[in-house]
Structures are given as structure tokens and as C-alpha cells.
């Protein structure tokens, strides 16, 4: 059985200031993200024990815990990776071309993404939908409600209150604006090229 571990942040805890504070990154990474890792491991242990014992009375809850905590872990890894102190630019290359093709322009994509972020009870995601062969913005509540089968996340924005409330209070829109000051499109662009190569 795989034992999932919390990876370190790819930058110092204060590296994204003033847009995201050292305190928020410390709490968010070390407490919240670690909690999803712990929850995933615990759920996998429960499922393994139930299979061995032949007692599946707690298996449904553990399965739900895998999807909730596992998705939380995966999306947080992506969230940390698609930000950096050198971020703030617009995408370039193949991903920029595809955004313009599928949304009409970068500005149209960004407006729709911000609308997703304002409505989400968890995450706003830019995904590649391999079924329809196009990019989409999706609103994902919690970590796993609203995801689209066959889609592959490229850019993730966490809008749970623990992501921003200490810094911005209820002004989620200000947090979203400042997210774009630290977005590093290198990782989303690399993910896009890998997934398109696999599916097109």
C-alpha cells in the first residue's frame, strides 16, 4: 500500500508575500494539506483492513474519504506548483494559443475563471477535457464535487476560506486578483503539453 507524504513547498513560506502571507502558507501547507495526506492514508488503511477481514461495514465511508482527501492532496500539490515568486505573467506558447482558441482570448478565459472562483466552494480549475478535446474552467466544491470525468487539471486556485481569510477577510475577489500576481504558467504549460500528447 502506498504511503502518501506531504511534499515540501517549492519555495520559502514567505516567498509569495505580500500576495500570500507567510502565516497563511504555513497554516495552509503544514496543517490543512497535511490533514488531507493523513486522511488519505487513514482511509487506505481502513480499506486494506476491511478487505483482509471481510468486514465492509465502514468501507463506503473510507471510499468517500479517499476521493475527498486524495483529491485535496492532488489539487494542493498543483496549487503550490502553479505559483512562484517569479509569477505574474500571462501564458505563452501552445497553452496560450489553446486558451485563445477555446475561450476567444486570454481576457475572456480569465473573466470566466474569476467567475468560477467566485462561485466555488473549494476550487476553480482550468482543465483539459480529453473527451471533448478542449480546455474548460470548472467549479469544484470541496475537493471532488463538480469535477468532470476525463478532465486533467492544469491550473488550480484554492478558494477555501483557509486560503485567504487571514490575509483578505471576506474579500475573496481581492485574493483572486492577487493570485494572478504569483501565477507561474510554466507548470500548467508543461502539464498541457504532456496531456495533449497523450490524448490527441
Amino acid at each position: 500500500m502506498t504511503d502518501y507524504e506531504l511534499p515540501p513547498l517549492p519555495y520559502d513560506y514567505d516567498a509569495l508575500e505580500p500576495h500570500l502571507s507567510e502565516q497563511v502558507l504555513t497554516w495552509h501547507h503544514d496543517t490543512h494539506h497535511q490533514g488531507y495526506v493523513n486522511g488519505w492514508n487513514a482511509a487506505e488503511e481502513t480499506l486494506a483492513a476491511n478487505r483482509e477481514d471481510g468486514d465492509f461495514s465502514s468501507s463506503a465511508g473510507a471510499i468517500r474519504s479517499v476521493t475527498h482527501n486524495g483529491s485535496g492532496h492532488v489539487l494542493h500539490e498543483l496549487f503550490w506548483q502553479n505559483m512562484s515568486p517569479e509569477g505574474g505573467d500571462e501564458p505563452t506558447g501552445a497553452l496560450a494559443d489553446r486558451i485563445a482558441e477555446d475561450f476567444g482570448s486570454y481576457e475572456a478565459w480569465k473573466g470566466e475563471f474569476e467567475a468560477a472562483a467566485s462561485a466555488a466552494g473549494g476550487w476553480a480549475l482550468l482543465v483539459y477535457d480529453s473527451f471533448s478535446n478542449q480546455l474548460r474552467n470548472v467549479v469544484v466544491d470541496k475537493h471532488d464535487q463538480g469535477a468532470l470525468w476525463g478532465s486533467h487539471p492544469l491550473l488550480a486556485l484554492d478558494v477555501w476560506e483557509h486560503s485567504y481569510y487571514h490575509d483578505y477577510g471576506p474579500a475573496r475577489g481581492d485574493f483572486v486578483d492577487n493570485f494572478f500576481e504569483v501565477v507561474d504558467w510554466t507548470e500548467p504549460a508543461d502539464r498541457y503539453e504532456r496531456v495533449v500528447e497523450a490524448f490527441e
Side-chain angles (χ1 to χ4, degrees):
M1 185 178 69
T2 301
D3 186 28
Y4 300 99
E5 297 182 357
L6 179 69
L9 283 176
Y11 32 76
D12 293 336
Y13 287 90
D14 63 353
L16 303 182
E17 291 189 337
H19 309 292
L20 283 83
S21 70
E22 178 180 6
Q23 183 63 78
V24 166
L25 260 65
T26 300
W27 284 335
H28 195 168
H29 178 267
D30 294 1
T31 301
H32 293 283
H33 190 173
Q34 182 69 65
Y36 302 126
V37 173
N38 295 345
W40 194 0
N41 285 327
E44 295 285 13
E45 290 172 6
T46 297
L47 291 172
N50 289 356
R51 293 169 191 145
E52 185 174 340
D53 297 341
D55 177 3
F56 303 101
S57 58
S58 62
S59 292
I63 290 168
R64 288 189 181 95
S65 184
V66 166
T67 59
H68 175 76
N69 289 293
S71 296
H73 177 41
V74 169
L75 291 176
H76 276 92
E77 278 202 6
L78 182 56
F79 180 56
W80 306 131
Q81 292 167 3
N82 62 212
M83 297 186 293
S84 85
E86 290 77 37
D89 293 333
E90 296 182 10
T92 59
L95 179 56
D97 293 342
R98 190 58 179 269
I99 287 173
E101 177 182 342
D102 288 349
F103 294 93
S105 67
Y106 171 78
E107 291 73 21
W109 166 78
K110 185 178 178 184
E112 185 178 291
F113 187 84
E114 289 173 337
S118 71
W123 297 84
L125 304 176
L126 170 65
V127 303
Y128 173 74
D129 170 8
S130 62
F131 184 82
S132 301
N133 185 28
Q134 68 181 77
L135 298 178
R136 295 186 187 276
N137 290 316
V138 295
V139 174
V140 175
D141 295 325
K142 303 198 185 275
H143 301 306
D144 52 356
Q145 299 173 15
L148 179 65
W149 296 117
S151 68
H152 301 266
L154 305 176
L155 180 76
L157 171 56
D158 186 344
V159 290
W160 286 72
E161 288 186 352
H162 61 242
S163 301
Y164 66 88
Y165 220 85
H166 178 266
D167 291 342
Y168 296 94
R172 181 190 290 193
D174 292 346
F175 166 64
V176 173
D177 290 342
N178 278 276
F179 170 73
F180 284 102
E181 297 297 321
V182 293
V183 168
D184 185 341
W185 285 96
T186 304
E187 178 68 20
D190 289 347
R191 285 177 177 269
Y192 170 72
E193 293 187 12
R194 290 196 302 270
V195 73
V196 166
E197 183 178 345
F199 285 97
E200 286 191 340

